[in-house]
Amino acid sequence: MTPTDAPDAGLRRAVLIVAILNGAYFGIEFAVAVGIGSVSLLADSVDFLEDASINLLIFFAVAWAARTRSLVGRGLAMLILVPALATIWIAVAKILDPQPPEVGALSLAAAGALAINLLSAVLLVRHRHHAGSLPKAAWLSARNDVLANIAIIGAALVTLVWSSGWPDIVVGIGIGLLNADAARAVWLAARAERLDAEGAEA
């Protein structure tokens, strides 16, 4: 990687904060989702793990060799598959027995997720045109996650009127479909960064 391609100090600081926030909230949202049986929250928690992974890759892009970044990226991609598979499992169970999740916990967790994603988007917005594919991917992911969180809050409001698990299921499946390639995205992003670095060194 050439010096001009290296993320600057401001970008590295921003992505480290975003990675920590997303990694921490993944654990919170995943636990709440499993506790109340929410498909949409569980699908959204996969986004937090994906975002934490991408931002960590950006942070270590300077310090680590391309081969190391590629290996770590693949490991993170495999890690993302774990909650993704859990989402599928809960979605199937909920379709067979569409009981509504607890609306208060669903709304509170979604509001917290919205706050984290808004903060992440604000931190990353100034770096979205930085050289390399990962900074832009990180910004777009944070921006799109804000919309997903609004959809979850909308599902909670619908559930207040119509006591059914289907609003949560529909939103969860929608988020899952939009992020079905989350692991693939991290895998390919790490690979792209490695190829870019090898091209610069050639």
Side-chain angles (χ1 to χ4, degrees):
M1 179 177 288
T2 63
T4 56
D5 290 334
D8 58 27
L11 173 61
R12 295 192 76 211
R13 183 167 52 251
V15 296
L16 180 59
I17 294 171
V18 171
I20 292 172
L21 289 173
N22 279 266
Y25 205 78
F26 159 72
I28 294 171
E29 193 172 42
F30 184 83
V32 174
V34 173
I36 66 174
S38 172
V39 178
S40 61
L41 280 184
L42 195 56
D44 194 54
S45 72
V46 177
D47 271 338
F48 277 104
L49 186 59
E50 176 196 4
D51 292 349
S53 301
I54 290 176
N55 283 281
L56 278 177
L57 282 177
I58 299 170
F59 178 78
F60 289 115
V62 176
W64 290 355
R67 185 180 298 276
T68 302
R69 294 198 308 272
S70 179
L71 290 173
V72 172
R74 293 174 185 178
L76 292 171
M78 297 303 293
L79 178 63
I80 293 171
L81 287 177
V82 177
L85 292 174
T87 301
I88 295 173
W89 177 266
I90 288 186
V92 171
K94 292 286 288 186
I95 289 173
L96 296 175
D97 183 23
Q99 294 297 316
E102 203 281 307
V103 175
L106 176 63
S107 302
L108 187 60
L114 178 60
I116 295 294
N117 282 317
L118 282 172
L119 178 57
S120 297
V122 169
L123 289 170
L124 295 171
V125 64
R126 71 179 63 181
H127 305 290
R128 66 188 185 281
H129 299 305
H130 197 280
S133 59
L134 287 176
K136 184 176 182 179
W139 146 247
L140 290 174
S141 183
R143 184 197 66 181
N144 293 341
D145 289 348
V146 168
L147 301 177
N149 298 143
I150 293 173
I152 296 173
I153 293 173
L157 294 175
V158 172
T159 303
L160 281 174
V161 179
W162 178 37
S163 183
S164 170
W166 281 107
D168 176 66
I169 293 171
V170 170
V171 171
I173 291 175
I175 295 173
L177 289 175
L178 289 174
N179 298 288
D181 65 342
R184 175 176 171 273
V186 175
W187 184 288
L188 293 180
R191 181 175 180 271
E193 291 298 299
R194 177 177 60 83
L195 293 177
D196 288 344
E198 290 176 352
E201 293 169 355

